[in-house]
Amino acid sequence: MLQNDLTHSLSVIVGNDALLTGEPAAPYCADWRGRYSGNALAVVFPSDTQQVAKVVKLCAANNAAIVPQGGNTSLCGGSVPLSQSVGGGQIVLNLSRMNQVRAIDPTNYTMTVEAGCKLADVRDAAEKNNRFFPLGLTATQKYCEIGGNLSTNAGGINVLRYGNARDLVLGLEVVLPDGRIWNGLRSLRKDNSGYDLKHLFIGAEGTLGIITAAVLKLYPGPQAEATACVAVRDPAAAVALLSHLRATCGDKISAFEIVARSCLDLVFKHIPGTREPFTGKHEWIVITQLADVLSAPLDEALGEALRTFGTGIIEFDISSNKDHAERWWKLRKHISEAQKCEGISIKHDVSVPISRIADFIARADAALHNAFPGIRIVAFGHMGDGNIHYNISMLDAKQNQAYIAQQEAAVNKLVYAVVRELNGSISAEHGLGQLKRDAIRDYKDPLEMELMRTVKQALDPKGLMNPGKVL
Amino acid sequence: MLQNDLTHSLSVIVGNDALLTGEPAAPYCADWRGRYSGNALAVVFPSDTQQVAKVVKLCAANNAAIVPQGGNTSLCGGSVPLSQSVGGGQIVLNLSRMNQVRAIDPTNYTMTVEAGCKLADVRDAAEKNNRFFPLGLTATQKYCEIGGNLSTNAGGINVLRYGNARDLVLGLEVVLPDGRIWNGLRSLRKDNSGYDLKHLFIGAEGTLGIITAAVLKLYPGPQAEATACVAVRDPAAAVALLSHLRATCGDKISAFEIVARSCLDLVFKHIPGTREPFTGKHEWIVITQLADVLSAPLDEALGEALRTFGTGIIEFDISSNKDHAERWWKLRKHISEAQKCEGISIKHDVSVPISRIADFIARADAALHNAFPGIRIVAFGHMGDGNIHYNISMLDAKQNQAYIAQQEAAVNKLVYAVVRELNGSISAEHGLGQLKRDAIRDYKDPLEMELMRTVKQALDPKGLMNPGKVL
């Protein structure tokens, strides 16, 4: 089939108003950070699962590759077409029109949603039913879509308590690479009746099939919260504090974030209305939160836990007042934005065992400062999950462009070497996409890469699902 | 290679004292309920992963099938050889000698254990380090092994709060069907660097490879507990009560079990030292437990929640005294034993959405009593997970043998039809093994069965891993 004929046939499936080509298609062919852009024959917006299946069947018959796309907020170029040409061309299959909440069962604590539901809308729909959907991505949840969240196994601030996106799913509906529809929309807490196929598609970044709907777990909403801002001596004290808090407050810990002085300085400089949380200046602060369904006096429990911790804490402040706590959260939430004001940086999203976080920061800091005098390291993140965002730029912003062009590979090599020493992962929550597709081959066991290719080959023998991503 | 030569070569790998044939091998070729037995050329007891790998390589080269075995407590014939002959014969590969705790990292809340560790020993090792491993199978944990627990994705009483075995794993070491060793022993809370392969092997009942070690998640141990015994009007009231408790007590609910009058009568009759929990006789009771890491007054919270529930509760009693609560737990824990005193029964381990449990019981009861007058239905189980154990026998025990021989298939058909109507699963926590291998083909979407076979074919093209189980 000629490419024009293919485009025409696609428009017959989805309707003329649900297919873009040329200039109008361009925004869907580039990522939101402006790092990746590619070429698609067309962008299609199917409105239901049957249309997705028909599009996939047609593409498969014509050897056209398919790039599944949700809110297109990938940080790794996972949701845009490749810039190089691909066999029978690339079709972007955008799921944003599939945005129905199909069902909510408050008694079963589940909801069934289509892939194109925005994360914020999923959370709102749960809340309207007096339930809570815990996946929270403060920066993007108004834009990102649940299908993308599941395809990338998204993380965020509440992983410590509720798990990754993967842990919040009971069932999936998936359009397979040959266009058949797998209805795995079960809403069961227990089901040991064969291989758990949903876990193959979750986190596969669209390379094994297209998630079109999911049954999500819901929770009772927290009634009580208490937040503490804690100045700690160093990352080792933060690691010990987290362990102490888990032992004393258990599942109530809903967040444990670490922020380095370099982050705070950037935030104070660029984000209006922010200021030092303490009268003294400290090198490391932790923001931690307890939450409970019972309206218990959590600030007392948190205060008791912090007071009994020992010498690693320099000072702390506790509040169960939301507005007060939000002042601290603002420091954490605006780090990326503040950093952007000083230009681009080399970003890492790594994880190590929680017990090795202090080692990671110490070793990576030493290696980088030694190799590259004059750099600034911006380290922060979800310490409760062992997940550190670790970004490197020059103190003098004007030098950044040249530094990154010349040294990005060398910086990555140093950081990833420390990650490897500590049995960590070079992609904790953002996925691989195009960004880390090459790097992962150096850091993952060749046998595991082979197993991944075996699975890919078995499910997508033509290699048409999101080619050039992950593997 | 002749079968004698194969046996000799195996003994060279594992040592003469770690290989059994003939009569001494027989206990490892039959299941503990005496329902399944088969024939193995030999039973081998490798002592480390390298030996497992060598055994598997040798078997693969000789087309001998491998039956991985732990504590051999499968309820579905999953861990014993087939009775029919299999290509190059069957080897039972028992992992009980691989029983080392390789590492415990209390700060990371993880431990690395070998497959042959008994579940009770895993729990003890965690406790010695002031940590808690929540998988609890009261009837078998002194015998079953963690490798088997993971291969079958075991459930138990604490699933409601901590998830199934699958949810308690961060990493795996697996010997693949060709004898290569996949080292996926990561201890990371977040790792989005490709397909999550561990979920393929967990719950696959040894048909895709042999789990030889695992990194398990640990938790802080509960400091406070409160238990309630609640007489409820009917299963619908129990469903509503669970929903109410989740909304008011949230994650603190660590168990929610339902028990029918028929179970209680059997327990009182056969288990010494048991008696009615209330002065009145009630048709349905619920035993529920709250647990918390904080030493909070949970009995107050539980009492408040029960008092505010409404008319579905007939009466209730609460205790935070362990011995007192154990009197109630004894009623629940001894149901299977009491039932056994009256002979065999047709057992079901099914799940439905929690909101449909009352429907399930009502519909299945009606269909069965209508079709088979004179039966006794023993219904109990993990209501908090939507998982009901639903066992059928004749009221007159003497008729059981004949009834089961003639009607088992018809009974299963009626029960499974209701499960299907309610989008449930015919195997909630016990797996498929040999027992439900045929039935599952009637109840699972053919496309899902095909996907399972595709995965099996890709990873075990020779079909030598635990043949005749699952699919």
Side-chain angles (χ1 to χ4, degrees), chain B residues 146-157:
Chain B
I146 192 71
N149 299 145
L150 301 184
S151 291
T152 57
N153 186 29
I157 278 181

Side-chain angles (χ1 to χ4, degrees), chain A residues 105 191 252 292 355 425 450, chain B residues 105 180 191 252 292 355 425:
Chain A
D105 182 346
D191 178 19
K252 288 184 189 59
D292 200 323
S355 49
S425 169
E450 184 188 320
Chain B
D105 182 346
R180 289 186 295 173
D191 177 22
K252 287 184 188 59
D292 200 324
S355 49
S425 170

Side-chain angles (χ1 to χ4, degrees), chain B residues 123-136:
Chain B
R123 290 170 58 99
D124 286 350
E127 200 178 335
K128 284 203 186 90
N129 287 270
N130 199 25
R131 296 291 179 262
F132 176 59
F133 182 63
L135 185 65

Side-chain angles (χ1 to χ4, degrees), chain B residues 296-312:
Chain B
L298 290 178
D299 43 354
E300 284 174 28
L302 187 51
E304 177 69 13
L306 293 174
R307 275 188 296 277
T308 56
F309 172 62
T311 59

